[in-house]
Amino acid sequence: MTNQKKYGKGIQIRTCRRCKKPINENSLYDYCPECFKRIEEVFDKIEDYLNEYPGATAFEIEQETGVPYHVIHNFISDGRLLEIPNEYLNFECKRCGCLLLSAHHKYCPRCRKELEKEMELAKTQLKMSINDSDGAKMHIKHRNRK
């Protein structure tokens, strides 16, 4: 499926599917080099996620990587990703109860971010309380053993 435009007297010029710039007629891809590089970066992001969480749903990939669903669907249409039919997954976030559609995570992205912030705040408060202490340090008192 090549993207071509007719100009003038039947001359056909291939154009990038994304930005519509002219591309070499012998190019293996339907994208200009700049767009192809960006598409590959997005695909690598999805591939990395799927390597870590095999069998993830498109919805989950969208939530976790920020790659829009339609882009994921385009990779499926292009044959670069394989969609495996499965039953509907119904998992709830352990914190807010929203639907996750993922067996890989216990919390939704929003709750995970909030939990991470709370953990960082707790670490900071603990460090401050340790630094504010009177400097007393614990030592084992040696005792005579018989």
Side-chain angles (χ1 to χ4, degrees), residues 50-69:
L50 285 172
N51 284 334
E52 188 170 348
Y53 302 103
T57 63
F59 177 76
E60 177 184 353
I61 294 169
E62 178 182 33
Q63 279 190 327
E64 299 299 324
T65 64
V67 176
Y69 177 82

Side-chain angles (χ1 to χ4, degrees), residues 23 51 67 74 82 107-108 110 117 126 141:
I23 57 175
N51 284 334
V67 176
N74 287 343
L82 178 63
Y107 301 99
C108 67
R110 188 186 74 218
K117 285 180 185 176
L126 183 60
K141 182 177 179 183

Side-chain angles (χ1 to χ4, degrees), residues 10 17 19 21 28 40 43 45-46 54 56 60 71 83 85 92 113:
R17 279 178 55 188
C19 71
K21 284 196 262 182
L28 296 174
E40 287 304 300
F43 187 79
K45 193 176 194 181
I46 294 170
E60 177 184 353
V71 173
E83 190 170 32
E92 293 181 356
K113 286 179 186 173

Side-chain angles (χ1 to χ4, degrees), residues 50 54-58 76 81-89:
L50 285 172
T57 63
I76 294 168
L81 290 175
L82 178 63
E83 190 170 32
I84 301 169
N86 60 8
E87 300 169 12
Y88 289 107
L89 302 173

Side-chain angles (χ1 to χ4, degrees), residues 83-116:
E83 190 170 32
I84 301 169
N86 60 8
E87 300 169 12
Y88 289 107
L89 302 173
N90 290 308
F91 296 99
E92 293 181 356
C93 173
K94 300 258 186 224
R95 188 168 189 221
C96 72
C98 74
L99 187 62
L100 293 179
L101 296 177
S102 168
H104 297 297
H105 304 285
K106 292 183 184 342
Y107 301 99
C108 67
R110 188 186 74 218
C111 286
R112 273 201 313 273
K113 286 179 186 173
E114 288 174 8
L115 287 169
E116 287 171 4

